[in-house]
Amino acid sequence: MAFDIDMIKKVYEQLPSKIEAARKIVGRPLTLSEKILYSHLHAEQTPQNFERGKSYVDFAPDRVAMQDATAQMALLQFMQAGRAKAAVPSSVHCDHLIQAKEGAAKDLNRAKHESEEVFNFLSSVSNKYGIGFWKPGAGIIHQIVLENYAFPGGMMIGTDSHTVNAGGLGMVAIGVGGADACDVMAGLAWELKFPKLIGVKLTGKLNGWTAPKDVILKVAGILTVKGGTGAIVEYFGEGATSMSCTGKGTICNMGAEIGATTSTFGYDASMERYLKATGRADVAELANKVKEHLTADAEVYANPEKYFDQIIEINLSELEPHVNGPFTPDLATPISKLKEEATKNGWPMKVEVGLIGSCTNSSYEDISRAVSLAKQVSEKGLKAKAEFCINPGSEQIRYTIQRDGFLDVFDKVGAKVFTNACGPCIGMWDRMGAEKQEKNTIVHSFNRNFAKRADGNPNTYAFVASPELVTALAIAGDLGFNPITDTLTNEKGEQVKLDPPTGDELPTKGFAVEDAGYQAPAADGSHVKVEVSPTSDRLQLLDPFAAWEGVDLKGLKLLIKAKGKCTTDHISMAGPWLKYRGHLDNISNNLLIGATNFFNEKTDSVKNQLTGAYENVPKVQRQYKAKNIGSIVVGDENYGEGSSREHAAMEPRHLGVRAVLVRSFARIHETNLKKQGMLALTFADKADYDKIQEDDTIDIIGLKEFAPNQPLTLVLHHANGSTDEIKANHTYNEQQIEWFKAGGALNIIRAAVKG
């Protein structure tokens, strides 16, 4: 039986009537996304024909998922909310704090020892508050969710941007910061601006070397890293139904890389097969009874241009395998053009490492298709030229592929199997030689490839491709190799060609596992004690942030004017910093150390306006804080793209930054700033970014009249005595303005519970 089956039954029982009511309100047929959104309105939200991209709406998600790096801060906040138990089904997954180095067993044991305090904290908090706990080694959050919790037509939020993976099982699943998760676990509504809708019509059928991954790589090339911002991407058409459920998950997973709120597919036979294969025939049976409500109305897909804000059409039969990168996941190159592009741009041609797995591509189908290529190494007398590494998505996947002999095949080509965890995908990779910072190329089936992301080396050129293509490129050791047309020289000097990959969508013998790694919470957690040592350098209980003083903010020092791409990785790095995710003061020592300073083109080097010296960003900000001087951060386009990590918002808040002023925000980061009581502002005139000077002191005027849709005024006091006055826009509604005034959303929750 599935987890939380009673909750799922309730959702399906209410679905028909809620959708019918929504159809009457909107006055037209509904997309799948709209059906799920309207059927999950919070009880106190008045249903109406919401305006896409403008209306703020309160929702009631069905469940919450958290990974160990973000769960620490989410649960430290939840502990202050005053509840005895999480209000909705929730889970914690230990997948981020395990560094890949020597191999699965040794790496897992080392992580259990190094992060014992954190794992024990998460286990005890989960036990106390009725939260399901997945132990270290159980698997990656998004694979575990797909295998156990996701269900068609449901809505969930998760404290990881790739929560969107569950769209592969027909959910609206959205990545959020820990404060949002805290709200929902505390029984409050979850607020979201009603998304715009992008429809992607898939025709034809995948064949040969082309994989589901190539669909999202192609879409990323079309929409870019911010083209999906504020929108749900809904896939449909014969190409969608011809694809596996886990393939759909891969496509939805990387929707985070185009900034999409989430992505989803309508319920179909592939989802039914997957539910049954993963022990949830009961959910499939329930879904089948309401399946007409688990996809868009027929009129929508017949005339999609009438119902979506944007339409993209891709013919899968003609789609080429793609390789995206380097340094950004939206630089899309078809395999036929890769050699030409690599040569033209001076990308290193030798492939040093191929990595497959991660939350994006670790399904049985992914691994089986990669194995079909690895088998050909010995069969055709070849030798793999690059190092090869695998991150299984879950213990269930790992156990099953071991049973079916896949790991033996990988072993023969010299592959290294890491723990069922994120590992290199999030920078948790102790890669030998990375410290030399040599220029090199790696290819992987992950989702992100920002500079320094995987191994900390700014000169590692990382390319994203399907597991099949990664395997082929690792065998060849050559970025210019096109397996569709090119041959390889084997050990006998013969020219041989790789056969196209083949594999099973699901294991013919079924999935198997001895210990999935799940810990159920105590039936009564009231007696469970959660202890945090006051001397710990890994965990720190939170103190409430101070409320707004009630006056305009004057005399703010410019901390940094960030140039170009500034992701959450640049604002709050992962990798070795992950261990401090439960200790706000310690992790704040990485504040903006990856951002490029506009004025000197350097990272982690900003002018201290108190001394005139150039120093590390956190060091300068701590000096401002010590003297009770507020500051402001200025950024470029799509500021805060990437991960959902709320540390990127909490760190500046903790160290005394009062406002972030940018050309544009990524959705999750903007929300996270608001939740923590920060001012998230955008230039009314983007050209005003150029008016910000290095020694500026800045006033923010109009806060006493702070109101929705009313710009604020900023006065820039330059070092030469001159001033500039500019306007700054914001997207705060009445409730979010109260968050600012209270010093953060959590202060309002705490006051409400005490009241």
Side-chain angles (χ1 to χ4, degrees), residues 396-426:
Q396 178 168 269
I397 289 288
R398 189 211 62 79
Y399 189 93
T400 304
I401 63 174
Q402 181 180 46
R403 178 202 67 190
D404 291 352
F406 293 176
L407 294 185
D408 293 335
V409 175
F410 285 134
D411 186 57
K412 285 177 184 174
V413 297
K416 185 180 286 186
V417 179
F418 291 134
T419 312
N420 313 320
C422 302
C425 183
I426 58 159

PDB file of all heavy atoms in Angstrom, residues 396-426:
ATOM      1  N   GLN A 396      16.639   1.230  -3.839  1.00  0.00           N
ATOM      2  CA  GLN A 396      15.826   0.311  -4.631  1.00  0.00           C
ATOM      3  C   GLN A 396      16.392   0.169  -6.048  1.00  0.00           C
ATOM      4  O   GLN A 396      16.501  -0.950  -6.572  1.00  0.00           O
ATOM      5  CB  GLN A 396      14.377   0.804  -4.701  1.00  0.00           C
ATOM      6  CG  GLN A 396      13.480  -0.079  -5.546  1.00  0.00           C
ATOM      7  CD  GLN A 396      12.010   0.254  -5.372  1.00  0.00           C
ATOM      8  OE1 GLN A 396      11.334  -0.303  -4.524  1.00  0.00           O
ATOM      9  NE2 GLN A 396      11.510   1.177  -6.176  1.00  0.00           N
ATOM     10  N   ILE A 397      16.801   1.276  -6.643  1.00  0.00           N
ATOM     11  CA  ILE A 397      17.427   1.230  -7.969  1.00  0.00           C
ATOM     12  C   ILE A 397      18.752   0.475  -7.889  1.00  0.00           C
ATOM     13  O   ILE A 397      19.038  -0.411  -8.707  1.00  0.00           O
ATOM     14  CB  ILE A 397      17.661   2.660  -8.514  1.00  0.00           C
ATOM     15  CG1 ILE A 397      16.335   3.328  -8.904  1.00  0.00           C
ATOM     16  CG2 ILE A 397      18.609   2.635  -9.709  1.00  0.00           C
ATOM     17  CD1 ILE A 397      15.683   2.780 -10.150  1.00  0.00           C
ATOM     18  N   ARG A 398      19.586   0.836  -6.905  1.00  0.00           N
ATOM     19  CA  ARG A 398      20.909   0.205  -6.793  1.00  0.00           C
ATOM     20  C   ARG A 398      20.793  -1.300  -6.599  1.00  0.00           C
ATOM     21  O   ARG A 398      21.485  -2.088  -7.258  1.00  0.00           O
ATOM     22  CB  ARG A 398      21.689   0.809  -5.615  1.00  0.00           C
ATOM     23  CG  ARG A 398      23.159   0.368  -5.573  1.00  0.00           C
ATOM     24  CD  ARG A 398      23.698   0.311  -4.163  1.00  0.00           C
ATOM     25  NE  ARG A 398      22.999  -0.663  -3.336  1.00  0.00           N
ATOM     26  CZ  ARG A 398      23.225  -1.975  -3.381  1.00  0.00           C
ATOM     27  NH1 ARG A 398      24.108  -2.487  -4.214  1.00  0.00           N
ATOM     28  NH2 ARG A 398      22.537  -2.796  -2.587  1.00  0.00           N
ATOM     29  N   TYR A 399      19.920  -1.717  -5.702  1.00  0.00           N
ATOM     30  CA  TYR A 399      19.757  -3.141  -5.413  1.00  0.00           C
ATOM     31  C   TYR A 399      19.273  -3.886  -6.658  1.00  0.00           C
ATOM     32  O   TYR A 399      19.761  -4.973  -6.988  1.00  0.00           O
ATOM     33  CB  TYR A 399      18.762  -3.323  -4.266  1.00  0.00           C
ATOM     34  CG  TYR A 399      18.672  -4.739  -3.738  1.00  0.00           C
ATOM     35  CD1 TYR A 399      19.453  -5.156  -2.663  1.00  0.00           C
ATOM     36  CD2 TYR A 399      17.809  -5.670  -4.321  1.00  0.00           C
ATOM     37  CE1 TYR A 399      19.371  -6.461  -2.172  1.00  0.00           C
ATOM     38  CE2 TYR A 399      17.722  -6.970  -3.853  1.00  0.00           C
ATOM     39  CZ  TYR A 399      18.506  -7.360  -2.770  1.00  0.00           C
ATOM     40  OH  TYR A 399      18.428  -8.656  -2.300  1.00  0.00           O
ATOM     41  N   THR A 400      18.321  -3.286  -7.352  1.00  0.00           N
ATOM     42  CA  THR A 400      17.751  -3.930  -8.537  1.00  0.00           C
ATOM     43  C   THR A 400      18.767  -4.039  -9.671  1.00  0.00           C
ATOM     44  O   THR A 400      18.868  -5.084 -10.330  1.00  0.00           O
ATOM     45  CB  THR A 400      16.501  -3.160  -9.022  1.00  0.00           C
ATOM     46  OG1 THR A 400      15.554  -3.071  -7.939  1.00  0.00           O
ATOM     47  CG2 THR A 400      15.843  -3.865 -10.198  1.00  0.00           C
ATOM     48  N   ILE A 401      19.550  -2.986  -9.904  1.00  0.00           N
ATOM     49  CA  ILE A 401      20.527  -3.056 -11.000  1.00  0.00           C
ATOM     50  C   ILE A 401      21.694  -3.979 -10.638  1.00  0.00           C
ATOM     51  O   ILE A 401      22.327  -4.555 -11.518  1.00  0.00           O
ATOM     52  CB  ILE A 401      21.031  -1.665 -11.438  1.00  0.00           C
ATOM     53  CG1 ILE A 401      21.791  -0.952 -10.320  1.00  0.00           C
ATOM     54  CG2 ILE A 401      19.882  -0.810 -11.958  1.00  0.00           C
ATOM     55  CD1 ILE A 401      22.440   0.371 -10.757  1.00  0.00           C
ATOM     56  N   GLN A 402      21.945  -4.135  -9.343  1.00  0.00           N
ATOM     57  CA  GLN A 402      22.962  -5.116  -8.938  1.00  0.00           C
ATOM     58  C   GLN A 402      22.450  -6.529  -9.194  1.00  0.00           C
ATOM     59  O   GLN A 402      23.163  -7.373  -9.752  1.00  0.00           O
ATOM     60  CB  GLN A 402      23.312  -4.951  -7.463  1.00  0.00           C
ATOM     61  CG  GLN A 402      24.390  -5.928  -6.984  1.00  0.00           C
ATOM     62  CD  GLN A 402      24.727  -5.746  -5.518  1.00  0.00           C
ATOM     63  OE1 GLN A 402      23.851  -5.622  -4.671  1.00  0.00           O
ATOM     64  NE2 GLN A 402      26.020  -5.723  -5.207  1.00  0.00           N
ATOM     65  N   ARG A 403      21.195  -6.780  -8.804  1.00  0.00           N
ATOM     66  CA  ARG A 403      20.577  -8.085  -9.036  1.00  0.00           C
ATOM     67  C   ARG A 403      20.579  -8.446 -10.516  1.00  0.00           C
ATOM     68  O   ARG A 403      20.836  -9.604 -10.886  1.00  0.00           O
ATOM     69  CB  ARG A 403      19.130  -8.071  -8.512  1.00  0.00           C
ATOM     70  CG  ARG A 403      18.362  -9.371  -8.737  1.00  0.00           C
ATOM     71  CD  ARG A 403      16.862  -9.137  -8.719  1.00  0.00           C
ATOM     72  NE  ARG A 403      16.427  -8.321  -9.860  1.00  0.00           N
ATOM     73  CZ  ARG A 403      15.202  -7.811  -9.993  1.00  0.00           C
ATOM     74  NH1 ARG A 403      14.307  -7.996  -9.035  1.00  0.00           N
ATOM     75  NH2 ARG A 403      14.883  -7.097 -11.063  1.00  0.00           N
ATOM     76  N   ASP A 404      20.339  -7.456 -11.369  1.00  0.00           N
ATOM     77  CA  ASP A 404      20.235  -7.715 -12.805  1.00  0.00           C
ATOM     78  C   ASP A 404      21.582  -7.678 -13.528  1.00  0.00           C
ATOM     79  O   ASP A 404      21.628  -7.718 -14.759  1.00  0.00           O
ATOM     80  CB  ASP A 404      19.255  -6.716 -13.430  1.00  0.00           C
ATOM     81  CG  ASP A 404      17.814  -6.962 -12.976  1.00  0.00           C
ATOM     82  OD1 ASP A 404      17.563  -7.988 -12.310  1.00  0.00           O
ATOM     83  OD2 ASP A 404      16.942  -6.123 -13.273  1.00  0.00           O
ATOM     84  N   GLY A 405      22.663  -7.594 -12.763  1.00  0.00           N
ATOM     85  CA  GLY A 405      24.003  -7.700 -13.348  1.00  0.00           C
ATOM     86  C   GLY A 405      24.564  -6.435 -13.955  1.00  0.00           C
ATOM     87  O   GLY A 405      25.655  -6.445 -14.541  1.00  0.00           O
ATOM     88  N   PHE A 406      23.850  -5.316 -13.823  1.00  0.00           N
ATOM     89  CA  PHE A 406      24.310  -4.072 -14.440  1.00  0.00           C
ATOM     90  C   PHE A 406      25.608  -3.571 -13.809  1.00  0.00           C
ATOM     91  O   PHE A 406      26.491  -3.058 -14.506  1.00  0.00           O
ATOM     92  CB  PHE A 406      23.243  -2.978 -14.330  1.00  0.00           C
ATOM     93  CG  PHE A 406      21.993  -3.239 -15.134  1.00  0.00           C
ATOM     94  CD1 PHE A 406      20.911  -2.368 -15.064  1.00  0.00           C
ATOM     95  CD2 PHE A 406      21.887  -4.343 -15.970  1.00  0.00           C
ATOM     96  CE1 PHE A 406      19.760  -2.588 -15.801  1.00  0.00           C
ATOM     97  CE2 PHE A 406      20.737  -4.573 -16.715  1.00  0.00           C
ATOM     98  CZ  PHE A 406      19.676  -3.700 -16.624  1.00  0.00           C
ATOM     99  N   LEU A 407      25.703  -3.691 -12.498  1.00  0.00           N
ATOM    100  CA  LEU A 407      26.898  -3.185 -11.826  1.00  0.00           C
ATOM    101  C   LEU A 407      28.139  -3.981 -12.216  1.00  0.00           C
ATOM    102  O   LEU A 407      29.250  -3.434 -12.263  1.00  0.00           O
ATOM    103  CB  LEU A 407      26.704  -3.191 -10.304  1.00  0.00           C
ATOM    104  CG  LEU A 407      25.633  -2.217  -9.763  1.00  0.00           C
ATOM    105  CD1 LEU A 407      25.628  -2.217  -8.241  1.00  0.00           C
ATOM    106  CD2 LEU A 407      25.857  -0.796 -10.290  1.00  0.00           C
ATOM    107  N   ASP A 408      27.952  -5.263 -12.515  1.00  0.00           N
ATOM    108  CA  ASP A 408      29.087  -6.083 -12.979  1.00  0.00           C
ATOM    109  C   ASP A 408      29.609  -5.564 -14.323  1.00  0.00           C
ATOM    110  O   ASP A 408      30.822  -5.518 -14.562  1.00  0.00           O
ATOM    111  CB  ASP A 408      28.671  -7.551 -13.126  1.00  0.00           C
ATOM    112  CG  ASP A 408      28.356  -8.208 -11.785  1.00  0.00           C
ATOM    113  OD1 ASP A 408      28.903  -7.723 -10.774  1.00  0.00           O
ATOM    114  OD2 ASP A 408      27.573  -9.171 -11.766  1.00  0.00           O
ATOM    115  N   VAL A 409      28.672  -5.179 -15.185  1.00  0.00           N
ATOM    116  CA  VAL A 409      29.059  -4.643 -16.495  1.00  0.00           C
ATOM    117  C   VAL A 409      29.835  -3.337 -16.315  1.00  0.00           C
ATOM    118  O   VAL A 409      30.884  -3.125 -16.936  1.00  0.00           O
ATOM    119  CB  VAL A 409      27.820  -4.409 -17.391  1.00  0.00           C
ATOM    120  CG1 VAL A 409      28.223  -3.739 -18.702  1.00  0.00           C
ATOM    121  CG2 VAL A 409      27.096  -5.716 -17.654  1.00  0.00           C
ATOM    122  N   PHE A 410      29.325  -2.461 -15.460  1.00  0.00           N
ATOM    123  CA  PHE A 410      30.010  -1.196 -15.213  1.00  0.00           C
ATOM    124  C   PHE A 410      31.393  -1.430 -14.606  1.00  0.00           C
ATOM    125  O   PHE A 410      32.356  -0.727 -14.916  1.00  0.00           O
ATOM    126  CB  PHE A 410      29.174  -0.300 -14.286  1.00  0.00           C
ATOM    127  CG  PHE A 410      27.991   0.336 -14.953  1.00  0.00           C
ATOM    128  CD1 PHE A 410      26.736   0.335 -14.343  1.00  0.00           C
ATOM    129  CD2 PHE A 410      28.108   0.962 -16.190  1.00  0.00           C
ATOM    130  CE1 PHE A 410      25.643   0.932 -14.948  1.00  0.00           C
ATOM    131  CE2 PHE A 410      27.022   1.565 -16.808  1.00  0.00           C
ATOM    132  CZ  PHE A 410      25.787   1.541 -16.180  1.00  0.00           C
ATOM    133  N   ASP A 411      31.466  -2.417 -13.733  1.00  0.00           N
ATOM    134  CA  ASP A 411      32.740  -2.732 -13.085  1.00  0.00           C
ATOM    135  C   ASP A 411      33.803  -3.121 -14.129  1.00  0.00           C
ATOM    136  O   ASP A 411      34.977  -2.764 -14.012  1.00  0.00           O
ATOM    137  CB  ASP A 411      32.541  -3.853 -12.064  1.00  0.00           C
ATOM    138  CG  ASP A 411      33.794  -4.116 -11.248  1.00  0.00           C
ATOM    139  OD1 ASP A 411      34.288  -3.179 -10.605  1.00  0.00           O
ATOM    140  OD2 ASP A 411      34.283  -5.266 -11.264  1.00  0.00           O
ATOM    141  N   LYS A 412      33.375  -3.835 -15.156  1.00  0.00           N
ATOM    142  CA  LYS A 412      34.311  -4.289 -16.191  1.00  0.00           C
ATOM    143  C   LYS A 412      34.899  -3.143 -17.008  1.00  0.00           C
ATOM    144  O   LYS A 412      35.976  -3.283 -17.594  1.00  0.00           O
ATOM    145  CB  LYS A 412      33.610  -5.294 -17.123  1.00  0.00           C
ATOM    146  CG  LYS A 412      33.419  -6.664 -16.488  1.00  0.00           C
ATOM    147  CD  LYS A 412      32.653  -7.586 -17.417  1.00  0.00           C
ATOM    148  CE  LYS A 412      32.383  -8.936 -16.748  1.00  0.00           C
ATOM    149  NZ  LYS A 412      31.522  -9.805 -17.581  1.00  0.00           N
ATOM    150  N   VAL A 413      34.177  -2.018 -17.071  1.00  0.00           N
ATOM    151  CA  VAL A 413      34.726  -0.867 -17.796  1.00  0.00           C
ATOM    152  C   VAL A 413      35.414   0.105 -16.835  1.00  0.00           C
ATOM    153  O   VAL A 413      35.750   1.235 -17.202  1.00  0.00           O
ATOM    154  CB  VAL A 413      33.644  -0.125 -18.629  1.00  0.00           C
ATOM    155  CG1 VAL A 413      33.085  -1.033 -19.698  1.00  0.00           C
ATOM    156  CG2 VAL A 413      32.546   0.446 -17.749  1.00  0.00           C
ATOM    157  N   GLY A 414      35.606  -0.344 -15.589  1.00  0.00           N
ATOM    158  CA  GLY A 414      36.334   0.461 -14.615  1.00  0.00           C
ATOM    159  C   GLY A 414      35.525   1.541 -13.939  1.00  0.00           C
ATOM    160  O   GLY A 414      36.083   2.503 -13.394  1.00  0.00           O
ATOM    161  N   ALA A 415      34.199   1.413 -13.959  1.00  0.00           N
ATOM    162  CA  ALA A 415      33.347   2.441 -13.364  1.00  0.00           C
ATOM    163  C   ALA A 415      33.424   2.429 -11.843  1.00  0.00           C
ATOM    164  O   ALA A 415      33.645   1.397 -11.222  1.00  0.00           O
ATOM    165  CB  ALA A 415      31.903   2.242 -13.812  1.00  0.00           C
ATOM    166  N   LYS A 416      33.215   3.599 -11.276  1.00  0.00           N
ATOM    167  CA  LYS A 416      33.160   3.740  -9.820  1.00  0.00           C
ATOM    168  C   LYS A 416      31.721   4.062  -9.431  1.00  0.00           C
ATOM    169  O   LYS A 416      31.117   5.001  -9.982  1.00  0.00           O
ATOM    170  CB  LYS A 416      34.082   4.863  -9.358  1.00  0.00           C
ATOM    171  CG  LYS A 416      34.182   5.016  -7.840  1.00  0.00           C
ATOM    172  CD  LYS A 416      35.123   6.153  -7.448  1.00  0.00           C
ATOM    173  CE  LYS A 416      36.577   5.758  -7.663  1.00  0.00           C
ATOM    174  NZ  LYS A 416      37.504   6.814  -7.157  1.00  0.00           N
ATOM    175  N   VAL A 417      31.156   3.260  -8.532  1.00  0.00           N
ATOM    176  CA  VAL A 417      29.782   3.489  -8.085  1.00  0.00           C
ATOM    177  C   VAL A 417      29.816   4.244  -6.761  1.00  0.00           C
ATOM    178  O   VAL A 417      30.371   3.760  -5.770  1.00  0.00           O
ATOM    179  CB  VAL A 417      29.016   2.159  -7.923  1.00  0.00           C
ATOM    180  CG1 VAL A 417      27.586   2.430  -7.438  1.00  0.00           C
ATOM    181  CG2 VAL A 417      28.983   1.402  -9.244  1.00  0.00           C
ATOM    182  N   PHE A 418      29.229   5.431  -6.762  1.00  0.00           N
ATOM    183  CA  PHE A 418      29.156   6.236  -5.550  1.00  0.00           C
ATOM    184  C   PHE A 418      27.885   5.895  -4.761  1.00  0.00           C
ATOM    185  O   PHE A 418      27.031   5.133  -5.211  1.00  0.00           O
ATOM    186  CB  PHE A 418      29.158   7.729  -5.901  1.00  0.00           C
ATOM    187  CG  PHE A 418      30.473   8.226  -6.452  1.00  0.00           C
ATOM    188  CD1 PHE A 418      30.511   9.028  -7.587  1.00  0.00           C
ATOM    189  CD2 PHE A 418      31.675   7.909  -5.838  1.00  0.00           C
ATOM    190  CE1 PHE A 418      31.710   9.509  -8.095  1.00  0.00           C
ATOM    191  CE2 PHE A 418      32.891   8.379  -6.332  1.00  0.00           C
ATOM    192  CZ  PHE A 418      32.904   9.176  -7.458  1.00  0.00           C
ATOM    193  N   THR A 419      27.756   6.507  -3.599  1.00  0.00           N
ATOM    194  CA  THR A 419      26.587   6.301  -2.744  1.00  0.00           C
ATOM    195  C   THR A 419      25.316   6.765  -3.453  1.00  0.00           C
ATOM    196  O   THR A 419      25.359   7.641  -4.323  1.00  0.00           O
ATOM    197  CB  THR A 419      26.760   7.103  -1.436  1.00  0.00           C
ATOM    198  OG1 THR A 419      28.062   6.852  -0.916  1.00  0.00           O
ATOM    199  CG2 THR A 419      25.739   6.690  -0.388  1.00  0.00           C
ATOM    200  N   ASN A 420      24.191   6.206  -3.038  1.00  0.00           N
ATOM    201  CA  ASN A 420      22.885   6.657  -3.537  1.00  0.00           C
ATOM    202  C   ASN A 420      22.644   8.062  -2.970  1.00  0.00           C
ATOM    203  O   ASN A 420      21.945   8.229  -1.970  1.00  0.00           O
ATOM    204  CB  ASN A 420      21.757   5.729  -3.071  1.00  0.00           C
ATOM    205  CG  ASN A 420      22.105   4.261  -3.266  1.00  0.00           C
ATOM    206  OD1 ASN A 420      22.690   3.887  -4.275  1.00  0.00           O
ATOM    207  ND2 ASN A 420      21.744   3.422  -2.304  1.00  0.00           N
ATOM    208  N   ALA A 421      23.230   9.046  -3.587  1.00  0.00           N
ATOM    209  CA  ALA A 421      23.183  10.414  -3.067  1.00  0.00           C
ATOM    210  C   ALA A 421      23.539  11.384  -4.189  1.00  0.00           C
ATOM    211  O   ALA A 421      23.914  10.969  -5.285  1.00  0.00           O
ATOM    212  CB  ALA A 421      24.150  10.565  -1.892  1.00  0.00           C
ATOM    213  N   CYS A 422      23.459  12.661  -3.892  1.00  0.00           N
ATOM    214  CA  CYS A 422      23.663  13.689  -4.922  1.00  0.00           C
ATOM    215  C   CYS A 422      25.110  13.745  -5.411  1.00  0.00           C
ATOM    216  O   CYS A 422      25.369  13.844  -6.603  1.00  0.00           O
ATOM    217  CB  CYS A 422      23.249  15.049  -4.382  1.00  0.00           C
ATOM    218  SG  CYS A 422      21.529  15.108  -3.819  1.00  0.00           S
ATOM    219  N   GLY A 423      26.054  13.740  -4.489  1.00  0.00           N
ATOM    220  CA  GLY A 423      27.465  13.707  -4.849  1.00  0.00           C
ATOM    221  C   GLY A 423      27.909  14.801  -5.796  1.00  0.00           C
ATOM    222  O   GLY A 423      27.664  15.994  -5.552  1.00  0.00           O
ATOM    223  N   PRO A 424      28.584  14.445  -6.905  1.00  0.00           N
ATOM    224  CA  PRO A 424      29.153  15.453  -7.808  1.00  0.00           C
ATOM    225  C   PRO A 424      28.141  16.454  -8.352  1.00  0.00           C
ATOM    226  O   PRO A 424      28.502  17.588  -8.665  1.00  0.00           O
ATOM    227  CB  PRO A 424      29.743  14.605  -8.942  1.00  0.00           C
ATOM    228  CG  PRO A 424      30.023  13.281  -8.310  1.00  0.00           C
ATOM    229  CD  PRO A 424      28.923  13.070  -7.316  1.00  0.00           C
ATOM    230  N   CYS A 425      26.895  16.058  -8.475  1.00  0.00           N
ATOM    231  CA  CYS A 425      25.873  16.940  -9.047  1.00  0.00           C
ATOM    232  C   CYS A 425      25.741  18.235  -8.256  1.00  0.00           C
ATOM    233  O   CYS A 425      25.429  19.284  -8.817  1.00  0.00           O
ATOM    234  CB  CYS A 425      24.530  16.216  -9.109  1.00  0.00           C
ATOM    235  SG  CYS A 425      23.232  17.182  -9.884  1.00  0.00           S
ATOM    236  N   ILE A 426      25.989  18.188  -6.937  1.00  0.00           N
ATOM    237  CA  ILE A 426      25.858  19.397  -6.111  1.00  0.00           C
ATOM    238  C   ILE A 426      27.204  19.871  -5.578  1.00  0.00           C
ATOM    239  O   ILE A 426      27.260  20.665  -4.640  1.00  0.00           O
ATOM    240  CB  ILE A 426      24.883  19.158  -4.947  1.00  0.00           C
ATOM    241  CG1 ILE A 426      25.359  17.983  -4.081  1.00  0.00           C
ATOM    242  CG2 ILE A 426      23.474  18.936  -5.452  1.00  0.00           C
ATOM    243  CD1 ILE A 426      24.791  17.987  -2.695  1.00  0.00           C
TER     244      ILE A 426
END
